[in-house]
Amino acid sequence: MDIIGFLKSQFICHLLICYIFIVSGLIINFIQLFTLILWPINKQLFRRINCRLAYCISSQMVMLLEWWSGTDCTLYTDPENYHKYGKENAIVILNHNFEIDFLCGWNFCERFGVLGSSKVLAKKELSYMPIIGWMWYFLEIVFCKRKWEEDRKTVMQKLLNLRDYPENFWFLIHCEGTRFTEQKHQISMQVAEAKGLPKLKYHLLPRTKGFAVTVQCLRNVVSAVYDSTLNFRNNENPTLLGVLNGKKYHADLRIPLEEVPEDEQECSNWLHKLYQEKDAFQEEYYRTGTYPAVPIVPPRRPWTLLNWLFWALLLLYPLFKLLINMINSGSSLTLASFAFVIVMASVGVRWMIGVTEINKGSTYGNNDNKQKQK
């Protein structure tokens, strides 16, 4: 292992990275709180400012993937459509098979200049999560309880609020509703058999209602739907912990443009057909190791690294100064308190990483699908 690789794997480096992320994130959340006074005065200014503030947080995660891990990201698409990416509003359908698929989605948002304004359909519990959850609140992210009878009205209203959004945005959506596991796949295919739907080998059945409502509410705002299928070469099993350790991955993403019918039932049928096509592309990828399209590597932009360096310079100096003063004081109580904070910080970091781990994912898709079979 080279010296840089060794340093990337050291816990102290991880702790410093997480310190910068947590402290800068809380500072930005605090600033976002004060932007609320702009909402009744100038809503569009409020939105533009919060897009930039959100970028300061989410770009730090992308920096880990692009610059710290050095993960290669290749896009397979039609060159004729390539120039449209980032210059139009779009709904992006992402498969949900990997622990860092959300991070790869953010990576491509960054490379096409829409990271700060990107949207997601997220579970309500995430809105209470400090830093990212609070950041999403100010970005007008659409949160749902995963109980459609309760969610429909709220989701529609929040989506309609985005129709006058001043920035180009990508609305990222995992139509499967939960991350793929073998157990969830088995249950999902039992539901497919019961409903007379074709079975999928590499995906769960898509949840059509949320997607149909998203298309309906954003039809006059969104120019296209991007069907994106993410894979990693050489049977790599990427994790956020691996990224933090500086492990390099090789991501391939396929994005064609699609047209979606207006009728809700036709939209549902279209989505099921799309997932059958995605399954076929997945089969082809596992067989050949590539997608049937032109590979393009979108240029990596420097802004994620520059943003992180800014916060590192701003926050590390007072930390080191405080540490030196504590050591010089020679107080056992002070040093013990500092050690306690370090331990709690490491626990907090591990908890945040654990949120992304597949084996600690939600049970959504297990219990819900079982109930549908009864």
Side-chain angles (χ1 to χ4, degrees):
M1 180 183 293
D2 58 47
I3 185 65
I4 295 179
F6 174 76
L7 289 174
K8 286 181 177 181
S9 66
Q10 297 307 296
F11 177 72
I12 187 63
C13 292
H14 303 167
L15 203 58
L16 291 176
I17 289 172
C18 294
Y19 160 77
I20 294 168
F21 177 75
I22 292 171
V23 176
S24 64
L26 292 175
I27 291 173
I28 293 166
N29 285 161
F30 186 69
I31 295 172
Q32 287 181 305
L33 186 63
F34 283 95
T35 65
L36 286 173
I37 61 175
L38 292 173
W39 181 266
I41 302 171
N42 191 331
K43 182 172 70 172
Q44 303 298 49
L45 178 61
F46 166 89
R47 286 169 158 175
R48 292 183 187 278
I49 290 174
N50 274 284
C51 284
R52 275 72 186 169
L53 291 173
Y55 181 86
C56 292
I57 295 176
S58 53
S59 68
Q60 292 188 50
M61 300 287 291
V62 175
M63 186 282 300
L64 283 178
L65 187 73
E66 289 190 327
W67 297 93
W68 183 260
S69 165
T71 292
D72 291 327
C73 297
T74 302
L75 175 65
Y76 290 79
T77 189
D78 182 353
E80 293 182 4
N81 292 320
Y82 182 80
H83 71 279
K84 298 179 182 179
Y85 301 152
K87 297 180 175 62
E88 63 181 1
N89 294 335
I91 296 172
V92 183
I93 301 175
L94 289 163
N95 54 330
H96 209 5
N97 292 34
F98 305 100
E99 291 184 8
I100 64 167
D101 45 23
F102 79 96
L103 192 51
C104 291
W106 276 5
N107 174 71
F108 282 96
C109 286
E110 156 59 21
R111 298 203 178 189
F112 293 108
V114 293
L115 177 60
S117 57
S118 63
K119 312 296 178 189
V120 294
L121 183 63
K123 58 185 179 181
K124 181 68 176 178
E125 292 83 355
L126 292 176
S127 65
Y128 306 116
M129 187 175 179
I131 305 175
I132 291 179
W134 297 349
M135 170 193 79
W136 277 350
Y137 172 82
F138 290 96
L139 278 182
E140 300 168 74
I141 293 301
V142 181
F143 292 106
C144 59
K145 299 178 180 177
R146 291 176 165 178
K147 297 179 180 178
W148 189 240
E149 296 74 17
E150 300 178 25
D151 285 332
R152 185 181 183 91
K153 184 176 180 180
T154 303
V155 168
M156 288 187 67
Q157 184 58 54
K158 290 182 177 180
L159 287 168
L160 290 172
N161 287 341
L162 298 177
R163 298 181 77 158
D164 64 342
Y165 208 78
E167 304 271 337
N168 287 334
F169 65 86
W170 285 3
F171 193 96
L172 311 178
I173 183 169
H174 297 286
C175 291
E176 294 152 281
T178 187
R179 189 176 283 120
F180 182 99
T181 66
E182 289 299 333
Q183 180 185 9
K184 291 176 183 177
H185 179 255
Q186 182 180 3
I187 296 171
S188 183
M189 292 310 97
Q190 290 172 359
V191 174
E193 184 175 4
K195 292 185 174 182
L197 295 170
K199 292 185 178 181
L200 306 173
K201 292 179 66 176
Y202 306 105
H203 299 85
L204 307 179
L205 281 182
R207 305 278 173 146
T208 61
K209 292 180 180 178
F211 175 74
V213 167
T214 301
V215 171
Q216 177 187 347
C217 293
L218 298 180
R219 178 168 292 278
N220 297 327
V221 179
V222 168
S223 302
V225 173
Y226 301 163
D227 165 33
S228 63
T229 304
L230 176 69
N231 275 297
F232 288 85
R233 300 176 198 170
N234 309 317
N235 294 317
E236 292 171 340
N237 183 27
T239 65
L240 186 56
L241 187 59
V243 171
L244 194 59
N245 279 316
K247 186 174 181 179
K248 184 175 182 176
Y249 299 111
H250 305 81
D252 290 329
L253 190 73
R254 171 185 174 271
I255 301 185
L257 275 78
E258 307 285 355
E259 295 182 1
V260 187
E262 294 189 26
D263 179 76
E264 184 172 342
Q265 183 58 49
E266 290 181 1
C267 182
S268 174
N269 295 337
W270 178 91
L271 187 60
H272 280 296
K273 183 179 178 182
L274 176 68
Y275 266 76
Q276 293 162 31
E277 294 173 358
K278 288 169 75 71
D279 226 48
F281 276 112
Q282 194 86 324
E283 179 80 27
E284 178 73 8
Y285 186 88
Y286 285 142
R287 187 175 65 83
T288 65
T290 187
Y291 288 119
V294 177
I296 301 173
V297 179
R300 183 170 58 177
R301 308 195 313 163
W303 311 119
T304 57
L305 180 61
L306 292 175
N307 172 73
W308 186 84
L309 289 174
F310 167 78
W311 288 107
L313 292 172
L314 184 68
L315 299 174
L316 287 179
Y317 172 74
L319 175 67
F320 289 140
K321 186 176 181 180
L322 175 63
L323 180 59
I324 291 171
N325 290 338
M326 291 175 65
I327 294 173
N328 290 336
S329 71
S331 170
S332 301
L333 179 61
T334 302
L335 293 175
S337 300
F338 182 76
F340 175 76
V341 170
I342 292 295
V343 171
M344 294 305 297
S346 64
V347 171
V349 168
R350 193 63 190 85
W351 173 78
M352 293 180 70
I353 293 173
V355 171
T356 70
E357 293 179 346
I358 291 177
N359 61 356
K360 296 182 181 178
S362 72
T363 57
Y364 182 68
N366 290 342
N367 300 334
D368 194 39
N369 280 333
K370 286 178 180 177
Q371 292 173 0
K372 287 184 178 181
Q373 295 178 74
K374 294 180 179 179

